[in-house]
Amino acid sequence: MNTSNNLPVPYSSKNKILKVGIPRALYFYKYGPLWVFFLQNLKSEVLISAPTTEKIVATGAKLALSELCVPLKIYFGHVQALIDEYPELDYIFIPRYVSTHEKQYYCPKFLILPETIKYGMNVPIPILTLEVNAKKMHSIEGAIQMGKILGFDQEETSQAWVLALQKYKKFKENMNSSNYIMSLAKLDSNPLHEIKKRKFREVIPENIRGKFPLDILILGHSYNVYESHINKHLIERLQTMDCNVRTIEDLNPEKFKKPVKINKIYEQYWQSEDEILKTARYYLTEGKSEIDGVIFLISFACGPDSLIQELVMRDMKTRKIPFLSLILDEHSGESGVITRIESLVDMIRRKKYN
Ligand code: SF4
């Protein structure tokens, strides 16, 4: 039996505990806990790449094609970081997310992620793939295929998958914008990867601190919103500026049930963008009084993002909600991002409290 990169399967995990590496990038920020629980249920030891550093970004940018979006470049960097830190790995886990809804697709980059890595860089460790494709099969069928590679039969894998899903659901219920990064960090047992809370310069004078709070909605993909290195610690910085942060993760999933129609004919079929549009729709309508402004994090060279950014911006303008889009790439400078956030927050605060 071969794996996604045609390297032979090392051995069944029934004989030995296998070491499986997970790159801390892209949908690790959404489905990471599920993958970790599933692999652990299949008796594997899970090793996660270190939190993103300048070196990881630079390595990824060197390995990947320059036209790719920055989250994908970072993914390359994390795969390399795993190879360098854990050369003894039995597998590197690279999932293929096609869709989790019959009528929608994830971005094409997710559809071909295992191949992008396989042909885009030298990976001397077998790639282990989980295919999630609601258009073709139930998620459990993809899980069973993966379990087979690890030496587990249908029943064992099904049980491992169902238990992992239950644990993931509970884990996610306790996650919100304030604890999201640290909750994910708990999945990594390597003490060298500890994420330390950053302390930033106080910009609000002590005598008025806490008196003029703002509520800011951050829109964007989870791998932009919670990737602190690339967004220059946006959440923590906003908190230092007396802002309460809201993200998609703070919304009740019930709000995501109704599909977004862009016009009478066109129904939004990019799954992640649909979530962003649904969040925007909620705050444009029933949740309007809950926010004072919006920051949309966009990846440079991302087609779906650039399309919906325009739609969201127009809607926010119509409802007079202050809006800032920040385009993230590997060259984004810290000072440029901070200046723009500080100006936005200052402008909204003056307008609200004057
Ligand atoms: S949605 Fe955009 S940012 Fe995300 S992987 Fe696709 S192109 Fe990159």
Side-chain angles (χ1 to χ4, degrees), residues 85-103:
E85 188 173 7
Y86 303 114
E88 76 282 12
L89 282 176
D90 295 299
Y91 289 103
I92 294 187
F93 175 80
I94 303 184
R96 182 194 312 287
Y97 272 79
V98 179
S99 67
T100 47
H101 290 297
E102 276 174 28
K103 286 190 178 167

Side-chain angles (χ1 to χ4, degrees), residues 52-71:
T52 306
T53 58
E54 205 46 56
K55 187 176 167 216
I56 289 179
V57 177
T59 306
K62 220 157 106 190
L63 288 169
L65 287 174
S66 55
E67 298 81 37
L68 291 176
C69 60
V70 72

Side-chain angles (χ1 to χ4, degrees), residues 26 69 71-72 107-110 221 223-224 273 299 301-305:
L26 289 178
C69 60
L72 205 55
C107 160
K109 307 277 175 19
F110 290 101
H221 300 284
Y223 45 83
N224 283 336
E273 276 61 31
S299 308
C302 170
D305 270 5

Side-chain angles (χ1 to χ4, degrees), residues 5 17 25 39 48 97 114 118 139 141 211 233 274 333 335 346:
N5 49 347
I17 290 178
L39 283 162
I48 298 164
Y97 272 79
K118 173 184 162 184
S139 67
E141 294 174 63
K211 289 189 180 154
H233 299 270
D274 190 47
S335 50
D346 199 35

